[in-house]
Structure formats: structure tokens, C-alpha cells
Amino acid sequence: MESEQSNAHIVPELKFVGIAPEIVTFGKRLADTKYQIDTLGKNGWGELTGNLHGLEASGEWDGPDDALTFFSKVFPFARLPAETEPLGVFQVPTEHVIGRSWRWWPEHLNANSEARLAEHLNGPFAAESTSFYFIASLGVLLAAQGQSRVNYCRQRHIPLMSARVSNLNYPPADRFRLYHVTRGNTRQSWVVLNDRYLQPIQWPRISLPALKTYGVHSGSWPLTFPPVSRVFDELYQPQPAEDFIAPCVDLEALKVAIRAENEAERQAVKPVKMALSDMDITNIWPISITLSFFFILSMVVAGLTAGEGWSGSISLLICGMAGSLLLFLATPVFLVSKRLHRNFELDDAAGKTETGELNKAEDPTPQS
């Protein structure tokens, strides 16, 4: 803290060295967009910007998004700043900082409070209680602490402000691929990271030009990826992955699930043997009982006549025919799918359960 006081008037300015001019310009435009959105929301026109100016993640505050949340809605696969690299205290350009005035705006200050704030911003402790994340690849800073002062400095045309800065990495553009897909009348744009994780673009009018400026290229949906229609269904229930702020669809996990479903489907249609008596055929049991009756009767008659005479011959013939038909009914000689077999078993079990419950309901005997 002492060194910070002694170097209060020689705090170095954060330079965008090695960053392409178009990226520097883009970073400024992105910060300008956030400022304009917050201004609209402050004036009661927040519905014009939809989810870019709405509820916090906790749902407790209907105000402007913080810088990191806003950034994650524009750029897919923004990560939580779990591990950052401190760079030090710098004078940062106000026009490249994304902030948020959620407790107060400059017009809320009276003359005395604004004088004290101006004195603090020009004093040796101006960087206290500040934490800015610098995304060098996009030429922009995200104010995590000290976020309300950003709009104040904008309105008062203060070009630089002191802040503690940490480096926050964002994946390079060549690790992304943009896909434009359709299902029916629905058209969406998806971004895939490392050919595995997928997030949909929430605000294409803002995100698509931003991704193009960043260097993200589009392509055709690969045949090695899951079907587009299946991914559409998975978007209803995206899952958290790694340390991404927004949930996503894991294409590798989805492919594993699809393979498991296909294998289960293949096993379900694999043929098994069933007897005719096991199938759901109308009047199969009356036919079986009738055949059994004639089979037993013919056996009795054949036994009494010892198979002699015309009555004995007819009895033996009926016995053979009835026995053959009964054997045909009971022998598993038909090939059916496992799913059909399982459906028969489930229907039979359901019928038995329903019959048992019905008999129990009709039984007037008191239960102990």
C-alpha cells in the first residue's frame, strides 16, 4: 500500500501493445454498447435490450448485468475468473472498460459527495477496492469491483482511471467454429469449442459481428457430429461443463448417449422365439380348450375300442390331429422382436394385476 501511495502520480498507463487496431476499436465499441444498454435500462427502456439488461443470475435485482455476465452473453464460452494473472495497478482507458452503475449514477451525487469522489479518483488510493479483468485478445476490460465509477468517468469525460488489473484469458479464435443451422422454420447460430462443446448464440446481431471481428470462421455441420435435430432437443436441458459461465451441450457425451440408444434399439428388435399360445390372438384359449376336449375324448374312445372298427379309427385320427394342433400352439416356432415379446409380457402382467385388484375390490370379506 505504501508503494502504491508513493507511486500515485506515476501509475503507468495500460498500453494495448501488439493488439490489432481493429480489435482495439472493437473493444471500445463493445464497452460503448454496454454503456448505452445501461442508459436505456436506467431510463425505463430496459425491455428494448431484453436479456442484455435484466435479472441477475440470482433473480434478486432487475438491473443492468455486471460486466462478466454481459460479456458471457455476447461471447460464448466465457469462463469464470477462477485463476487470473495479476498485472498490477494501471491507468486504464475509460472507453475500453465495461462497467455497471447498479447502486448509483452520477446524477445521484450532490456537490459535496461528487467533490469527495473526484478527490478520491485523483488521489493515491484510487485503485483501492477495484478489480478489473483485462482480456487482451479483445481489447476490453471488465470491471468486477469499482464498476459504478466507470459510467461516472464516462459522463464526466475522464479518460483514464486507476485500477488493479488482472489478465483474463479467452480461447483463441481458431478453437471456435460457427455453424448456422435450421430445423423447420427455426434458424439458429451455434458455436462449438474444440469440436466438443456447443453453445447457441443468444444475440446474433451483436455476437455474430463480434465473432467475425475476432476471427471465428463458419462451416457446414460435420457428419461426425450428432444430428442437428437431436442437438436442438438437447438445448432444452444444457449442462454445466468445466468452468464456463453458461451451460452447454457436450457433443461427445451426446454421441455416447446416441450409441447406447442405438444399441438398445438393436437389441430390442433382435428376434426371439414365441409360441402361438403366447401371442395376443383373439379366441386362442377357446380353440385350445376345444382341441383339448376332442383330444381327450378321442383318446378315451380309442382306448375303449382298442383302436378297432370305424369308431376306433376315427378316434385315433381325431386324437392325432388334435394333438398335432395342440403341439403347434404350444411350441415356440415363431420369431418375433424382443420389444414385441416384452410388450406381451407387460400386457399379461398388467392384466393379472388388474384382475387381482378387481377381485380384491369385489371381495366383501373384511380384511384383518
Side-chain angles (χ1 to χ4, degrees):
M1 186 63 66
E2 293 179 359
S3 61
E4 188 174 313
Q5 294 182 45
S6 60
N7 295 327
H9 299 290
I10 55 173
V11 175
E13 182 178 344
L14 183 67
K15 300 292 185 179
F16 293 166
V17 180
I19 303 177
E22 60 270 18
I23 295 295
V24 176
T25 301
F26 166 76
K28 178 181 179 302
R29 290 182 59 188
L30 187 63
D32 290 342
T33 300
K34 178 61 164 67
Y35 175 70
Q36 293 167 8
I37 288 173
D38 288 358
T39 303
L40 280 174
K42 175 176 71 76
N43 295 329
W45 294 94
E47 64 272 11
L48 292 179
T49 55
N51 288 338
L52 288 175
H53 184 286
L55 292 175
E56 294 297 313
S58 61
E60 296 176 353
W61 171 254
D62 189 12
D65 285 330
D66 62 77
L68 193 58
T69 301
F70 171 82
F71 179 79
S72 69
K73 291 179 178 180
V74 175
F75 280 90
F77 299 104
R79 296 177 180 271
L80 293 169
E83 296 182 2
T84 57
E85 176 188 352
L87 298 179
V89 177
F90 291 90
Q91 290 280 327
V92 299
T94 301
E95 291 183 336
H96 286 263
V97 182
I98 296 178
R100 145 177 103 153
S101 289
W102 65 289
R103 287 185 176 178
W104 56 269
W105 283 78
E107 58 265 30
H108 296 155
L109 301 175
N110 57 35
N112 291 333
S113 58
E114 183 169 359
R116 289 195 300 270
L117 176 60
E119 181 181 359
H120 171 71
L121 294 179
N122 291 321
F125 305 105
E128 281 190 349
S129 302
T130 62
S131 177
F132 289 10
Y133 299 121
F134 180 41
I135 305 178
S137 58
L138 291 169
V140 70
L141 294 101
L142 310 179
Q145 291 181 297
Q147 51 194 343
S148 295
R149 69 182 62 183
V150 177
N151 289 345
Y152 171 81
C153 291
R154 273 182 169 272
Q155 289 196 5
R156 296 299 184 262
H157 306 290
I158 301 174
L160 299 172
M161 51 185 169
S162 297
R164 299 179 185 275
V165 180
S166 298
N167 190 47
L168 183 62
N169 292 322
Y170 186 69
D174 57 6
R175 292 172 58 187
F176 295 108
R177 184 67 69 180
L178 178 65
Y179 300 100
H180 304 290
V181 296
T182 58
R183 186 175 72 168
N185 296 325
T186 302
R187 176 178 172 85
Q188 289 188 358
S189 297
W190 297 341
V191 175
V192 176
L193 172 66
N194 296 332
D195 289 331
R196 176 172 181 177
Y197 299 107
L198 179 147
Q199 285 185 354
I201 297 296
Q202 299 184 47
W203 291 93
R205 290 185 179 272
I206 296 178
S207 297
L208 292 182
L211 291 171
K212 182 180 180 180
T213 302
Y214 188 49
V216 177
H217 298 288
S218 61
S220 300
W221 189 253
L223 296 177
T224 56
F225 283 179
V228 169
S229 59
R230 183 59 184 271
V231 178
F232 264 99
D233 295 335
E234 292 297 316
L235 288 175
Y236 288 104
Q237 47 184 4
Q239 302 297 321
E242 297 191 9
D243 56 353
F244 303 135
I245 295 176
C248 61
V249 175
D250 187 342
L251 297 179
E252 290 296 329
L254 182 56
K255 286 194 288 187
V256 171
I258 292 175
R259 284 196 294 267
E261 293 172 2
N262 292 338
E263 178 63 20
E265 182 73 15
R266 189 183 67 83
Q267 292 294 332
V269 300
K270 189 175 181 180
V272 295
K273 291 183 178 181
M274 282 183 65
L276 191 62
S277 58
D278 293 331
M279 299 183 183
D280 188 16
I281 300 177
T282 305
N283 297 328
I284 187 66
W285 287 113
I287 294 174
S288 301
I289 293 172
T290 302
L291 288 173
S292 300
F293 171 76
F294 282 109
F295 177 72
I296 295 173
L297 179 61
S298 61
M299 286 185 64
V300 172
V301 174
L304 293 176
T305 61
E308 297 177 355
W310 65 269
S311 60
S313 299
I314 293 175
S315 299
L316 289 175
L317 178 62
I318 296 175
C319 180
M321 293 175 61
S324 299
L325 291 173
L326 286 173
L327 183 63
F328 176 74
L329 291 176
T331 304
V333 294
F334 296 94
L335 289 177
V336 298
S337 69
K338 284 186 176 181
R339 185 190 298 107
L340 184 60
H341 190 197
R342 183 168 61 250
N343 290 341
F344 283 134
E345 293 177 343
L346 293 175
D347 291 343
D348 184 61
K352 291 180 179 179
T353 302
E354 184 177 353
T355 302
E357 292 178 352
L358 182 61
N359 293 338
K360 183 177 179 181
E362 293 177 350
D363 187 1
T365 305
Q367 301 294 324
S368 57

